[in-house]
Amino acid sequence: MGGPAAVSTGSGQGYAHLIDNTRPWWKNTRIIKLNLCIALLLITSTTNGYDGSMMNGLQSLPQWNDAFNHPSGGKLGLLSAIQNIGSVAAYPFSPYVSDGLGRRAAVILGATIMCIATVLQTASHSVGMFIGARFLIGFGLTFAAAAAPVLITEIAYPTQRGPATSLYNTLWFLGSITAAWTTFGTFHVPTSWSWRIPSAIQALPSVIQVLLVWFIPESPRWLCSKGREEQALQVLAYYHADGNRNDPLVEYEFEEIRAAIRFDREVAANVGWSSFFKTSGNRRRLRIMIAIAFFSQWSGNNLIAYYMNKIFISIGIVDPTTQLLINGILNIYNFIIAIVAGLLCDKIGRRPLFIASTIGMFVFWVLQTVCFALYSEHGNITAAHTFIAMIFLFYAFYDIAFTPLIVAYTVEILPFPLRAKGFTIFNFALSVSLIFNQYINPIALAALGWKYYIVYVCWLAFEVCFIWRYLIETKNRTLEETAALFDGEDTAAHLAEHAAVNAGIADSRSDREKASSEDIIEEVKV
């Protein structure tokens, strides 16, 4: 495909006039209840964020280093990477649990496994036991993390879907902040509890989910796909229209879901793994999903996130208290920026945020490299202090897109029959890139020093070019219209028109009569 990516300017007019603007959402008790359910799903991401920051913090704890014989090099890389290896091991199973048993069942299974694994991690008395527990945490996390964001995007109120889903990955930092300040607080505990306490707290999000996930509604899209359309309509009506099954918005959503599922099954044949390679639309989805998964981990951010203390030592900051304090402040800073960017994603758009993010990261990574080189070669203390400032500025640009949007963008561009499988591919690509980084980064950093940063300079330049050329704007569309956008503007328009006609809310000027699902399928075939 030549030239810059096409930019969709979909206005969302298919449903915008159906939204009840007579009262704000915070005065609607059903939407408040729905958002509380979404909040319970959002905390799945905190477990992952907690782990990265916890491992970063534990490396600064003398008690942890003494307990595990001061791991370094490949051994340290394995201790960090093993959770993601566990995640990869569960990928062959997670989409079948999510598609077969339901999104909610997958979250329950994953949270239960993580509770058990965290107990083992906290009780570890050897490197082998610690590694095994972390593998099991990753294995359970895959089931929950593969289903939670999908369920969020499938139950959210239409105008809140983008911001709600963007908050999922943003809450990675809530876990990261908790871990950073927990390890900072337990630093002065003289016993092994200095690292066992942070290990135990990692179970908290999973425990909350196991107790409360039963109150979350199942995805109406999943219910429709299983022929349980009556239940799907009840869920949409209860949460989106105060229980009014005849509300125009509910009827529109319901008809569009039915049309999209039927289209994907009968026309696009989006029903299996091979579907990702059969059509140009699916190949475009696959290319973008894999790219942003790798970009999210190979932009230099994980060199900072997982091995900050090694970098600090390289630039002369050796005091563990100072290292932990900077780590804690950085995570709060990241969290605030990512939340603001996520909440603005429907106003600014996905594409502008991604383009600004990659350009900004490139600029400030180059400056980090210069500062690192000046300190390493000439012992320039000013350059070392400037390096810390460049880390904060680099993360500001990373956070405006790659924290809030990578999950939200991935799940919204996938049609329902491929959403669980596609999100598994995305997570697999993310884990592979993360495992490589976690294992290679400490080795390469020790061998090359500041010169290793030049590798990321070149990679970030490639990211800028890729995002500019291939990323498509998706703001202000329904979930079904956004997914159909990759199959062409006409397909998205057909779904919107079919939903409006069948819901009885089509423009009165239209001379088309109410179409059946069969009509729309035949029309798209032609």
Side-chain angles (χ1 to χ4, degrees):
M1 295 176 66
V7 180
S8 166
T9 57
S11 64
Q13 291 179 352
Y15 72 88
H17 64 291
L18 306 177
I19 301 297
D20 181 11
N21 293 316
T22 60
R23 58 174 173 168
W25 68 265
W26 59 85
K27 293 184 178 179
N28 187 323
T29 55
R30 297 287 176 87
I31 294 181
I32 291 174
K33 185 176 180 180
L34 177 62
N35 287 341
L36 289 174
C37 292
I38 288 173
L40 185 60
L41 295 169
L42 288 172
I43 64 173
T44 305
S45 185
T46 63
T47 301
N48 205 15
Y50 188 97
D51 182 81
S53 188
M54 182 188 74
M55 286 305 300
N56 204 18
L58 292 185
Q59 293 172 50
S60 297
L61 294 177
Q63 299 90 330
W64 183 82
N65 281 291
D66 291 341
F68 299 106
N69 301 315
H70 296 269
S72 61
K75 186 177 180 181
L76 178 60
L78 179 60
L79 281 165
S80 294
I82 191 62
Q83 178 184 320
N84 290 287
I85 295 173
S87 294
V88 171
Y91 286 147
F93 315 105
S94 62
Y96 297 102
V97 173
S98 183
D99 282 342
L101 300 179
R103 317 308 198 199
R104 191 172 63 173
V107 173
I108 294 170
L109 175 62
T112 302
I113 293 174
M114 285 189 285
C115 286
I116 297 170
T118 308
V119 172
L120 295 176
Q121 178 180 261
T122 305
S124 293
H125 52 74
S126 67
V127 173
M129 187 173 178
F130 193 80
I131 289 175
R134 286 179 51 70
F135 176 91
L136 197 57
I137 289 173
F139 190 84
L141 180 62
T142 290
F143 291 100
V150 172
L151 184 52
I152 290 169
T153 204
E154 290 178 351
I155 65 175
Y157 193 71
T159 57
Q160 297 178 359
R161 177 179 56 81
T165 313
S166 71
L167 287 175
Y168 176 82
N169 213 45
T170 301
L171 286 200
W172 187 96
F173 281 114
L174 179 61
S176 185
I177 291 167
T178 305
W181 289 102
T182 299
T183 52
F184 181 78
T186 61
F187 177 75
H188 296 291
V189 176
T191 66
S192 65
W193 282 104
S194 64
W195 63 267
R196 294 187 194 276
I197 290 173
S199 294
I201 292 175
Q202 188 171 6
L204 184 59
S206 299
V207 171
I208 294 173
Q209 286 185 325
V210 169
L211 295 176
L212 300 178
V213 75
W214 313 97
F215 299 101
I216 298 175
E218 184 54 271
S219 162
R221 288 157 177 89
W222 182 83
L223 292 169
C224 273
S225 74
K226 299 300 180 183
R228 296 158 62 179
E229 294 186 353
E230 180 64 24
Q231 288 178 261
L233 183 57
Q234 288 177 357
V235 171
L236 289 170
Y238 183 86
Y239 288 102
H240 292 185
D242 284 330
N244 182 6
R245 295 160 59 95
N246 298 316
D247 183 87
L249 175 63
V250 170
E251 291 183 332
Y252 181 90
E253 289 184 282
F254 183 64
E255 290 297 337
E256 191 170 52
I257 290 169
R258 293 174 64 201
I261 291 174
R262 186 175 182 121
F263 171 78
D264 286 314
R265 285 177 175 171
E266 298 186 14
V267 179
N270 283 335
V271 293
W273 295 99
S274 61
S275 299
F276 285 102
F277 305 97
K278 287 181 178 179
T279 68
S280 60
N282 284 343
R283 289 191 294 271
R284 291 167 73 193
R285 292 181 177 101
L286 188 63
R287 176 174 59 198
I288 291 176
M289 285 191 306
I290 292 176
I292 63 175
F294 274 84
F295 293 171
S296 71
Q297 305 303 320
W298 282 11
S299 296
N301 52 300
N302 274 320
L303 188 60
I304 301 169
Y306 281 83
Y307 303 102
M308 185 178 287
N309 75 311
K310 304 298 181 188
I311 295 171
F312 284 165
I313 291 171
S314 298
I315 62 171
I317 300 175
V318 296
D319 179 44
T321 302
T322 303
Q323 292 177 5
L324 291 169
L325 185 60
I326 293 174
N327 185 33
I329 294 172
L330 180 61
N331 279 289
I332 295 174
Y333 169 85
N334 288 335
F335 186 46
I336 293 171
I337 292 176
I339 285 180
V340 172
L343 294 176
L344 293 175
C345 68
D346 278 344
K347 294 183 181 295
I348 299 174
R350 281 67 158 162
R351 180 175 162 82
L353 287 171
F354 271 111
I355 290 174
S357 177
T358 50
I359 292 174
M361 286 192 296
F362 173 77
V363 170
F364 288 107
W365 191 267
V366 169
L367 294 176
Q368 280 187 66
T369 305
V370 172
C371 292
F372 198 173
L374 287 174
Y375 178 81
S376 298
E377 299 295 330
H378 305 291
N380 190 317
I381 299 299
T382 302
H385 293 161
T386 305
F387 179 86
I388 302 300
M390 292 304 103
I391 288 177
F392 278 78
L393 291 171
F394 167 85
Y395 261 116
F397 282 94
Y398 179 91
D399 291 334
I400 65 174
F402 285 92
T403 296
L405 296 182
I406 57 170
V407 170
Y409 191 83
T410 297
V411 296
E412 73 183 8
I413 67 175
L414 289 163
F416 174 81
L418 295 180
R419 192 163 291 138
K421 292 183 177 68
F423 193 51
T424 297
I425 292 174
F426 167 81
N427 281 319
F428 176 77
L430 190 147
S431 291
V432 168
S433 62
L434 187 55
I435 291 168
F436 176 86
N437 258 7
Q438 289 173 329
Y439 196 77
I440 296 299
N441 277 340
I443 299 172
L445 188 62
L448 300 176
W450 72 267
K451 296 182 180 68
Y452 185 46
Y453 270 52
I454 297 175
V455 175
Y456 285 106
V457 170
C458 299
W459 180 258
L460 284 164
F462 168 72
E463 287 186 16
V464 173
C465 297
F466 184 97
I467 292 295
W468 174 264
R469 183 171 184 178
Y470 293 119
L471 197 103
I472 295 174
E473 183 56 73
T474 61
K475 71 173 182 177
N476 295 329
R477 290 180 178 268
T478 66
L479 190 56
E480 281 65 39
E481 291 162 11
T482 298
L485 184 62
F486 280 74
D487 300 309
E489 289 276 2
D490 289 343
T491 302
H494 277 307
L495 290 177
E497 183 180 14
H498 172 69
V501 171
N502 266 10
I505 57 173
D507 194 321
S508 60
R509 292 170 295 179
S510 173
D511 58 3
R512 292 189 58 179
E513 296 183 356
K514 181 175 271 194
S516 65
S517 295
E518 289 77 9
D519 294 331
I520 194 67
I521 296 303
E522 290 303 318
E523 187 175 21
V524 175
K525 282 182 179 178
V526 174

